[in-house]
Amino acid sequence: MEILKVENLSVKRDENFIFKNINFSLQSDEKLFITGPNGAGKTTFIETIMGFIKPETGKLFFKGKEVKTEENLYNLRISAGYIFQNPDDQLFSPTVEEDIAFGLLNIGKKRSEIPEIIEQTLDILGINYLKNRLTYKLSGGEKRLVSIASVLSMNPDCLIMDEPTIGVDEKKLKLLLRFLKETNKAILMITHDKDVIEELKWPVLRLENGKLFNVYP
């Protein structure tokens, strides 16, 4: 099943196109990398997919329906978990536990369910010990893992990840990569990390000079 699709997507910055007439789809069982030089528009591309940026041209479809209304957009953002490049843009509750709980309450989880979900999610990434820590006192790598945990806890259909491995120490990175290998969720990940690309061996798309094209396989 096709979970995400864009047709003829174009975005401008000032008078210049960042990218133009991009066509792209992500299947429900598909995992893809997006690479490309700095400034090529990778983050802009996924922010447009998530509805944060209004395109100059093009259509966005989620599970076969065109995203045109606020309700469509809400359904997209609940089902497509977005992990920001900068975790400070994502974390805003005082403690790790409260930050994860906030998202779960927003999607209607019962308070009685939440502690177990938090424990299970933190365990996936090996960061249970951070549960009661203040978010603003975390290291950059710890913040990144907590931001991933906040999204994973809501059990989205797919993950849209912007450089999720930056600053993550070797031990935690192994746990994260194991999860990414084993999960059946669709994933679209921006990365510059050649070791991660080599480890996961997913197909690679490259965004450069306003075009998105296959690199591997």
Side-chain angles (χ1 to χ4, degrees), residues 86-99:
N86 183 353
D88 287 326
D89 293 337
Q90 200 160 339
L91 304 177
F92 52 86
S93 295
T95 69
V96 169
E97 183 176 27
E98 289 171 306
D99 205 274

Side-chain angles (χ1 to χ4, degrees), residues 47 67 102 112 126 156 200 209:
E47 286 183 346
V67 178
F102 179 83
S112 59
L200 295 177
N209 298 323

Side-chain angles (χ1 to χ4, degrees), residues 10 14 26 32 38 51 90 105 110 113-114 133 135-136 143 152 157 203 213:
S10 304
D14 300 324
L26 180 70
L32 300 172
N38 291 334
Q90 200 160 339
L105 289 169
K110 296 177 182 176
E113 300 176 280
I114 288 175
R133 293 272 298 275
T135 53
Y136 77 92
K143 286 180 179 179
L152 291 185
D157 294 327
F213 52 93

